[in-house]
Amino acid sequence: MDSLDYLNITGLSLIDWIIIVIYLTLSLGLGLFFAKKVKSMTDFVSAGRNIGLFLGVASMAGTEMGLITIMYSAQKGFSGGFAAFHIAVVAGVITFLVGLSGFIVVPLRKLKVLTIPEFYEKRFGKDVRVLGGLLLTFGGVLNMGLFLKVGALFLVGVAGLSPSLLPWVMTALLILILFYTCMGGMWSVIMTDFMQFCVMSIGLFVVVGISFATIGWNNLFDIVLEQKGIAGFDPLSAEGDFGLSYVLWMMFTAGLVSCAIWPTAVARALAMKSETLVKKQYMITSITFMIRFLIPYFIGISAFVYFTIEKPEFMPLFGGQLDTLYAFPFYIKDILPIGLIGFFTAAMIAAFMSTHDGYLLCWSSVITQDIIAPLAKKKLSDKQRLFWTRVSIVGIGIYIWYWGLFYQGSDDIWDYMAITGAIYFTGAFALLVGGLYWKKASRVGAMAALISGLTALLGLGPIKQAVGLTQFTGAHIGLFTICLTLFVMVIFSLLFPDKNIREVKI
C-alpha cells in the first residue's frame, strides 16, 4: 500500500478549492492593478523609495515568512523539538539590535543604492560590483532552488494528490508567480505581501489554537521529553540535532544575515522613506522575525506529538519512506475541518507567493543592475533595464523548476539554504563591514573575500561527500568560511592597499 494511503489522506473539498481560487484571483488582480505604477527601474525595484513604516514591516515579515520558511521550520520542530526555539530567539534579538544601532542597513539607505553590489562599486570599483553581483546571483538563485519544489510538495500533501503530479503543480505555481511579479515589480510585491501577511498570520494562529485543543499543553512537553530526552529542550546537548557550533552558526545566519545582509530583507530597508523609519522598521520587525520561526516550530512539534500519540505506526515513515517535510501538510490535513483547510492552504500559498516574488525581483534586479548594466557598452535606458529584469525573472523561474526536480542532496532544507546562501553572505559580510567601517579595506581585499566565500560550497551534501569532508557539519564549514573571508579581507587589504582610498559619504 502506498505511504499516502497509510496516512488516509483525501482530497480537498469543493469548498476548500473555492476559497483557494478566490484568494489567488484577488492576488492576481492586485498585481495587475499596481502594474500601472511602474514607470521606471526605481519604481520596479524599490517602489519609488516611498514605502511607509507599517507597510514596510508587513512586507518584510511577509517575504521572510514564506512557505519554505514554514516548511523547514516545522521540519526542525518535528526533528529537534523545543531545542529549535533557540533559532527564533537569536533572530528576534539580533534584528532588534540591528534596528537599534542601524548597523549596515542605515548607511546603505543613506547612500540610496538599489542593490548591495551597487555599494561595492561606490566603495571598491566596478569590477568588484560585477564579481559581487555574479556571486550574489549564483548563491542566491542556488539558495532558492528548492523553494518551488517545497511549495508544490505542501500542496500535493495537503490536497492528497499523487506525487507523480508534483512537476505539474510546480509548473502551475511558477506561472502564477512569474505573471504578477513581472507585471508590477516591487509595487505588486509589497502590496500582495501585505495581504498575504494578514491571511497567513490568521491561518497560522488558527492552527496553533486547534493544536492546543487537540493535543493538550502537557502532552507537548511530556511526549517530547519521553521521546527525545533533554536534547528536545537543550540546543547545546551533545545528543541532539544542534550543538554549540550550530548555535553560533544560527546567531550569524538566522540572526545577522537574515535581517542586515540578505538582499531580500535589505531591499525593504532601501525602499523606506527615511533612515529613521528603517530603524523603526527593524525594531518592530524583530518581533515578527522571532514569531516566523516560533510558530512553525511549535506546529512541527505538535505534528510530532500528534503522530506519536494518535498514529504511532506511521512515525517510522517520516525520514524513511516519506520525507519529514510531509509531516506538516499531513498534520494540517488531519486536524483541520473542511473550510479551514482551504483557508489555511490559501494562507500557505500566500506565504509561498510572498517569498518567491520578493526573491525573483531581488535576484533579477541584481543581474540587471550589477552585471548587465555595468558591462554594457552604452548606458541602459529604464525601458531596457525593465526588459532585462523581466527576462531574468523568467530565466530564474525556469532554473528553480529544473533544480527542484533534479537536485538529489540529503541536506535538510534549512541547512541547504544556509550553506548556499553562505556563498554570497560570507563575502558580503566582510565587504559591508570593511567597506562601511574600515578605511583601509581595499579593492584587492574585497575581491579576495568574495572569492573566498565559494568555500561554503564544501558544506553541500553531495560536494562534502565527494571530497571526503563528511565528518564536518554544514555549520562547521560555514563558520570556517566566515573566518576565512574576514581574514582574507584584512590580509589582502594590508598587503595590497588602494592608492586612492574610495571613501563613501554617509
Side-chain angles (χ1 to χ4, degrees):
M1 185 181 294
D2 188 87
S3 57
L4 294 180
D5 294 330
Y6 283 130
L7 289 167
N8 193 30
I9 301 299
T10 58
L12 294 175
S13 69
L14 179 60
I15 294 174
D16 294 319
W17 282 115
I18 289 173
I19 292 172
I20 294 168
V21 170
I22 289 174
Y23 177 78
L24 294 180
T25 302
L26 286 173
S27 294
L28 284 172
L30 201 60
L32 285 172
F33 176 78
F34 282 98
K36 65 184 182 182
K37 282 183 170 285
V38 177
K39 296 180 175 63
S40 69
M41 190 64 181
T42 301
D43 290 334
F44 194 76
V45 175
S46 63
R49 295 194 183 96
N50 198 34
I51 300 303
L53 177 60
F54 294 106
L55 191 56
V57 168
S59 175
M60 181 179 285
T63 293
E64 299 307 317
M65 192 174 181
L67 178 55
I68 184 76
T69 307
I70 294 168
M71 289 284 279
Y72 69 58
S73 295
Q75 185 184 44
K76 279 293 184 188
F78 187 87
S79 60
F82 289 98
F85 278 17
H86 78 275
I87 303 173
V89 173
V90 299
V93 171
I94 293 178
T95 302
F96 181 83
L97 293 176
V98 168
L100 189 66
S101 64
F103 184 61
I104 294 177
V105 293
V106 167
L108 287 177
R109 175 60 186 83
K110 286 181 179 180
L111 290 169
K112 296 183 178 180
V113 295
L114 290 179
T115 64
I116 289 175
E118 186 179 341
F119 163 73
Y120 296 166
E121 181 175 7
K122 286 179 177 288
R123 180 64 174 82
F124 300 109
K126 183 188 290 187
D127 52 355
V128 177
R129 177 180 186 172
V130 173
L131 178 61
L134 286 169
L135 291 175
L136 170 53
T137 302
F138 175 60
V141 174
L142 195 63
N143 178 263
M144 69 176 298
L146 300 181
F147 284 21
L148 183 62
K149 181 179 181 179
V150 171
L153 185 150
F154 169 81
L155 193 54
V156 165
V158 80
L161 303 175
S162 169
S164 64
L165 294 176
L166 186 67
W168 294 103
V169 176
M170 289 171 62
T171 302
L173 290 173
L174 179 62
I175 291 172
L176 177 68
I177 295 296
L178 293 179
F179 176 73
Y180 85 88
T181 305
C182 284
M183 290 300 296
M186 184 61 82
W187 275 113
S188 289
V189 167
I190 287 181
M191 297 310 298
T192 52
D193 277 356
F194 180 76
M195 180 177 72
Q196 290 156 6
F197 172 73
C198 295
V199 173
M200 179 177 55
S201 298
I202 294 170
L204 286 172
F205 280 114
V206 166
V207 171
V208 168
I210 292 177
S211 295
F212 274 125
T214 303
I215 297 170
W217 180 260
N218 290 333
N219 280 334
L220 284 169
F221 292 96
D222 292 344
I223 297 299
V224 171
L225 182 61
E226 176 186 304
Q227 297 293 318
K228 299 181 181 295
I230 193 64
F233 298 88
D234 181 8
L236 299 178
S237 172
E239 300 175 358
D241 291 351
F242 306 111
L244 179 59
S245 62
Y246 194 89
V247 173
L248 293 174
W249 179 229
M250 288 302 101
M251 290 178 68
F252 188 76
T253 56
L256 183 62
V257 168
S258 66
C259 69
I261 300 174
W262 199 241
T264 51
V266 175
R268 299 311 189 274
L270 301 180
M272 298 297 286
K273 289 181 179 179
S274 69
E275 294 81 30
T276 300
L277 288 182
V278 170
K279 298 180 77 170
K280 291 180 179 179
Q281 175 193 33
Y282 270 70
M283 286 190 282
I284 296 173
T285 302
S286 66
I287 300 171
T288 63
F289 267 38
M290 181 167 63
I291 292 174
R292 72 170 175 144
F293 287 121
L294 282 178
I295 292 180
Y297 290 155
F298 175 80
I299 295 174
I301 295 167
S302 298
F304 176 83
V305 173
Y306 174 81
F307 284 113
T308 299
I309 296 175
E310 300 294 334
K311 299 181 178 179
E313 66 273 22
F314 301 144
M315 284 298 289
L317 292 174
F318 298 117
Q321 188 177 351
L322 285 172
D323 193 305
T324 51
L325 284 167
Y326 271 111
F328 173 67
F330 287 167
Y331 172 67
I332 296 303
K333 190 69 173 69
D334 257 23
I335 68 167
L336 292 185
I338 291 174
L340 277 180
I341 296 176
F343 182 83
F344 187 79
T345 301
M348 292 303 98
I349 294 175
F352 170 86
M353 293 167 68
S354 68
T355 298
H356 273 76
D357 56 17
Y359 274 61
L360 286 169
L361 183 62
C362 182
W363 307 139
S364 61
S365 63
V366 168
I367 291 172
T368 300
Q369 295 290 95
D370 303 310
I371 300 174
I372 296 176
L375 293 176
K377 293 181 179 179
K378 295 182 180 179
K379 184 178 180 181
L380 298 181
S381 65
D382 267 349
K383 185 176 181 180
Q384 290 173 315
R385 289 172 188 262
L386 287 171
F387 170 78
W388 284 113
T389 301
R390 285 170 169 144
V391 168
S392 299
I393 288 172
V394 175
I396 294 170
I398 294 171
Y399 159 77
I400 63 175
W401 181 89
Y402 171 83
W403 189 254
L405 285 177
F406 296 104
Y407 178 75
Q408 298 298 322
S410 59
D411 328 76
D412 76 23
I413 298 299
W414 170 242
D415 291 336
Y416 168 87
M417 291 177 62
I419 286 298
T420 52
I423 297 167
Y424 151 73
F425 66 65
T426 50
F429 176 65
L431 267 66
L432 287 169
V433 173
L436 291 169
Y437 303 106
W438 188 40
K439 290 183 180 181
K440 292 184 178 180
S442 74
R443 170 187 162 278
V444 175
M447 298 279 279
L450 286 172
I451 294 170
S452 297
L454 289 169
T455 308
L457 282 169
L458 296 173
L460 282 179
I463 297 177
K464 187 165 56 174
Q465 193 167 16
V467 298
L469 293 175
T470 52
Q471 70 272 31
F472 297 104
T473 66
H476 290 140
I477 294 172
L479 290 171
F480 170 78
T481 305
I482 295 168
C483 295
L484 177 64
T485 54
L486 289 172
F487 176 78
V488 165
M489 178 70 165
V490 172
I491 295 299
F492 276 78
S493 292
L494 294 176
L495 291 175
F496 304 97
D498 290 336
K499 293 181 180 179
N500 298 310
I501 297 176
R502 301 168 63 103
E503 289 189 63
V504 289
K505 294 182 180 180
I506 301 173

